[in-house]
Amino acid sequence: MPNLFSVSGYLIYFWSNENNEPIHGHVSKGRHTKHATKFWLTSDHGCILATNGS
């Protein structure tokens, strides 16, 4: 999975195929994980965050 960048130990990255989900990125501490926080950038220059609680 491609890394966009890292900041203070957090990785910002994306998967190449996520089953018809809108384009979004992931943030996780230290390593890639399927339980990472997801974020979507909106057309009004906002951001939507989603976590799975794990």
Side-chain angles (χ1 to χ4, degrees), residues 27 37-40 47-51:
V27 178
T37 297
K38 292 182 182 182
F39 65 93
W40 292 265
C47 182
I48 299 170
L49 295 176
T51 63

Side-chain angles (χ1 to χ4, degrees), residues 26-52:
H26 295 261
V27 178
S28 60
K29 181 75 172 179
R31 63 184 174 87
H32 302 115
T33 174
K34 66 179 182 177
H35 301 295
T37 297
K38 292 182 182 182
F39 65 93
W40 292 265
L41 301 177
T42 64
S43 61
D44 64 353
H45 308 286
C47 182
I48 299 170
L49 295 176
T51 63
N52 72 357

